[in-house]
Amino acid sequence: MSDVVIKGHVGIGAKVRGKALVAKDDFSARYDLDRIKGVFSRPAHKLVGENYVDTILILNTAKGGVATSWMLHEMNSRGMAPKALILNTSNPIMAQGAAFGDVVLMDRFETDITEAVQTGDDVTVDPAAGTLTIHKD
Amino acid sequence: MLAGKFGEPRQIALEQQIKVGDFFDAPNFVEISQVHLMADTESLGEAGVEYLENMAGYDEKDRRVAVPTVTDPRGIDLMAYKKLNQEESWAELERRAIKAFEAMGILMTDTCINYQTILPPAFGEHVAFGDTGSVIYTNSVLGARSNFEGGPAALTAALTGRAPRYKCHLDEGRRGTIRFVIKDRPENLSDWGALGGVVGKKSGSYWAVPVLEGIDGTPTSDEMKHFGAALASYGSVPIFHMVSATPEARCLEDTFDGTPPAPIELGKKDIDGFYASFGRHEDKVDVVVFAAPQMSLVEMQQLADLCRGKTIHKDTSLIIATSPEIKSAANRMGLTKTIEDTGAMVLEGVCFYQMYARETGEANGWKKLMSNSAKLVNIISGYGYEPVLAPMEVCIDAAIRGKMS
């Protein structure tokens, strides 16, 4: 099967490939994560208990407070960050955190990205080109 | 600046700001007049503190902030951390961060209510504020202009004296997108927070601008504070308009381009439903918290009036967080003593969720939490707590009885 390429807005960071972890929920590092263990900890989050480290993390929108921008940097410094953060809609905090913490970020796709990609899919994110590719084998 | 003529810190800062500006298609930068910096040590971690120390190691002309810069709450109250069973290593990290901030010329105000206590921006002033509650109040109630500038971004703005011009800095980013009619006026601060939570959930993202009608009489500063903080927390929303109450909404037509969308009606049943979603602690309450945002002097007085002559239950803790300025005033006016005579602790320069809430909760056996802050009960479940929202007097009653009655 051929690869599926989905267009989005130009993002932040370098090209990266990994396994997708997907939910239709929103995202905040402060509200949702146990950053020491590298798992989602908020009981109401669809991904509660899931390990997000080194995944291509795909969620709906950025929510909540401003702490995520420091936290992405801190998580990355311990090798406990996702490989990329992919959202339908980002907010300034995620973009600032990506620029500061060296985390890959993309948003504003031509389709609902939380529906287009399934957990476990092998995907490549190319922020400079503004594309997300799902590799089909 | 980009060529390094003004030193490496400003060069690095501007490079980061250009990345963010490009991401949001900002046409250029806007000069800003003050910065509010969120940088608690729990979020910073060792990596963040090392970054600050590195910045602080440059020559003074290169490291000093370009505009007045004040701080959001710290991760530790250095006067109280031992009583809270918090670890010495966290205090040490905090001391290192403070030393680095001071070397950069940053004013350690340690408050999220800088718009009530330090230097409220004037109408139309462009600023770079960090706490979401501070940003939404500044945009909506004061008519000044700021995006959410997270810690690293606020620090870059402090160094360059500018911010990427998009969203809240532009007229078009402040126009209404969703309309609400409020049928029943909230009765107390937690009701205002609950309404903010409901509107936030329905608004959905940073790019939404909710417009509210039907509120008879302008809410007080504390009511706006709780409403805005919850709206920003639940919806990641940076600005709202309240018709005939906020400065960019003298009338409905002021707020929308073209015909306003059909309104969503909200009333008492929505607020009641919001409270009900958190349940009740009828068996036991471990900790009652007043914070998020920090308490104003007026809230401190209201709390003191409810606390006077009472003693809290032996198995329940009562924690209050306010700013150093307000704590000092409350000390002087006898309010702190009245509150602490119950067995409560009044903390300064911190906020409950920013002070290692998970570890502090485990160290003190706190799980079942009550607060009148809709923002706090939203955040805190991710830290292992079971939160319940209730008005201030119900929270105090539960602190005395050790459970909700």
Side-chain angles (χ1 to χ4, degrees):
Chain A
M1 247 196 289
S2 58
D3 292 350
V4 176
V5 179
I6 303 166
K7 283 289 289 176
H9 193 277
V10 168
I12 291 173
K15 193 170 169 176
V16 64
R17 182 170 180 167
K19 292 278 182 216
L21 177 62
V22 188
K24 294 185 80 67
D25 293 37
D26 300 335
F27 179 69
S28 158
R30 162 110 67 196
Y31 292 26
D32 295 330
L33 305 183
D34 183 330
R35 289 167 283 123
I36 303 301
K37 293 182 184 155
V39 297
F40 278 81
S41 61
R42 184 180 177 83
H45 202 285
K46 179 84 187 307
L47 296 179
V48 64
E50 296 279 350
N51 187 315
Y52 57 78
V53 176
D54 284 339
T55 64
I56 308 288
L57 182 58
I58 301 181
L59 293 161
N60 180 40
T61 188
K63 69 171 180 200
V66 298
T68 299
S69 47
W70 283 120
M71 287 177 175
L72 288 177
H73 173 254
E74 192 277 332
M75 286 152 65
N76 219 6
S77 78
R78 290 183 292 115
M80 296 292 279
K83 273 187 180 166
L85 183 59
I86 307 295
L87 300 165
N88 276 323
T89 327
S90 179
N91 75 357
I93 301 305
M94 300 295 156
Q96 294 156 5
F100 174 64
D102 211 14
V103 172
V104 176
L105 174 71
M106 262 189 74
D107 77 342
R108 286 164 282 173
F109 293 91
E110 58 198 352
T111 181
D112 182 342
I113 200 67
T114 66
E115 289 189 354
V117 186
Q118 309 294 317
T119 290
D121 281 355
D122 175 19
V123 301
T124 294
V125 181
D126 189 342
T131 59
L132 182 149
T133 305
I134 309 171
H135 303 290
K136 307 275 188 184
D137 49 18
Chain B
M1 207 180 286
L2 207 50
K5 198 174 160 193
F6 298 92
E8 201 172 8
R10 281 177 239 281
Q11 181 184 25
I12 295 167
L14 196 59
E15 284 168 358
Q16 267 181 48
Q17 289 188 302
I18 288 170
K19 281 188 198 172
V20 175
D22 286 348
F23 188 81
F24 291 118
D25 304 316
N28 53 24
F29 284 91
V30 58
E31 290 192 7
I32 45 111
S33 57
Q34 62 162 303
V35 171
H36 177 247
L37 177 65
M38 178 277 173
D40 64 67
T41 35
E42 190 210 331
S43 309
L44 285 164
E46 178 69 29
V49 174
E50 280 176 13
Y51 178 83
L52 294 174
E53 287 175 330
N54 179 50
M55 283 288 194
Y58 285 89
D59 288 348
E60 180 153 21
K61 70 173 173 40
D62 293 339
R63 71 181 184 228
R64 201 172 168 87
V65 292
V67 292
T69 300
V70 302
T71 56
D72 202 38
R74 318 268 9 102
I76 285 279
D77 178 345
L78 289 170
M79 253 99 72
Y81 72 97
K82 287 181 181 162
K83 273 169 80 179
L84 287 165
N85 302 315
Q86 293 178 314
E87 291 181 19
E88 189 58 42
S89 61
W90 307 342
E92 191 46 40
L93 198 62
E94 192 63 60
R95 291 186 193 101
R96 286 169 52 195
I98 292 168
K99 194 174 168 202
F101 287 134
E102 287 177 343
M104 298 173 78
I106 292 168
L107 300 165
M108 304 305 293
T109 55
D110 305 344
T111 183
C112 59
I113 52 168
N114 58 317
Y115 52 87
Q116 286 184 320
T117 59
I118 305 293
L119 198 64
F123 184 84
E125 194 174 346
H126 291 272
V127 298
F129 279 6
D131 171 72
T132 58
S134 180
V135 171
I136 196 169
Y137 191 101
T138 294
N139 277 318
S140 314
V141 181
L142 305 179
R145 299 184 169 211
S146 178
N147 282 313
F148 286 176
E149 300 287 357
L155 192 60
T156 61
L159 286 164
T160 65
R162 57 206 72 198
R165 192 195 299 267
Y166 64 95
K167 178 61 179 169
C168 292
H169 291 295
L170 300 168
D171 289 347
E172 55 265 35
R174 305 168 68 88
R175 308 294 291 155
T177 65
I178 182 167
R179 179 181 167 200
F180 297 91
V181 170
I182 310 305
K183 307 303 280 185
D184 305 295
R185 187 189 171 93
E187 292 177 3
N188 52 46
L189 296 179
S190 54
D191 282 5
W192 279 102
L195 180 64
V198 172
V199 172
K201 282 183 181 178
K202 290 187 185 293
S203 297
S205 89
Y206 190 78
W207 311 98
V209 181
V211 176
L212 284 80
E213 297 169 86
I215 290 161
D216 187 22
T218 303
T220 66
S221 174
D222 283 333
E223 288 171 344
M224 287 289 202
K225 171 173 88 170
H226 277 268
F227 173 75
L231 175 49
S233 176
Y234 286 84
S236 191
V237 171
I239 180 169
F240 66 89
H241 301 297
M242 205 177 276
V243 173
S244 78
T246 58
E248 290 170 55
R250 288 166 304 172
C251 58
L252 185 66
E253 291 68 33
D254 266 6
T255 58
F256 288 101
D257 292 321
T259 310
I264 299 166
E265 287 195 357
L266 296 176
K268 190 163 187 312
K269 69 171 177 16
D270 300 287
I271 290 179
D272 290 347
F274 188 85
Y275 279 103
S277 70
F278 292 97
R280 291 168 55 79
H281 287 323
E282 292 177 353
D283 51 345
K284 185 174 190 308
V285 179
D286 299 318
V287 62
V288 174
V289 179
F290 295 101
Q294 289 174 336
M295 305 279 277
S296 72
L297 187 61
V298 172
E299 288 175 289
M300 291 293 283
Q301 185 183 37
Q302 290 163 351
L303 197 57
D305 288 344
L306 290 168
C307 283
R308 189 165 290 111
K310 309 272 176 57
T311 304
I312 59 170
H313 192 273
K314 64 178 175 48
D315 296 326
T316 303
S317 301
L318 175 56
I319 305 288
I320 296 103
T322 190
S323 76
E325 269 68 33
I326 298 299
K327 173 83 185 300
S328 166
N331 289 351
R332 187 156 47 83
M333 296 170 196
L335 303 174
T336 307
K337 182 173 187 311
T338 304
I339 294 168
E340 291 196 326
D341 279 351
T342 64
M345 282 182 78
V346 179
L347 306 178
E348 68 171 77
V350 289
C351 192
F352 191 79
Y353 68 90
Q354 289 174 308
M355 45 180 254
Y356 302 87
R358 182 190 311 282
E359 297 83 354
T360 304
E362 287 166 3
N364 292 282
W366 296 335
K367 197 169 182 68
K368 292 174 185 290
L369 176 146
M370 278 183 73
S371 179
N372 76 334
S373 161
K375 174 175 177 168
L376 182 67
V377 297
N378 185 30
I379 297 171
I380 211 70
S381 68
Y383 283 98
Y385 291 78
E386 296 167 12
V388 164
L389 179 69
M392 186 187 278
E393 59 273 22
V394 176
C395 289
I396 292 294
D397 182 69
I400 293 162
R401 293 169 188 272
K403 59 185 178 182
M404 289 180 81
S405 49

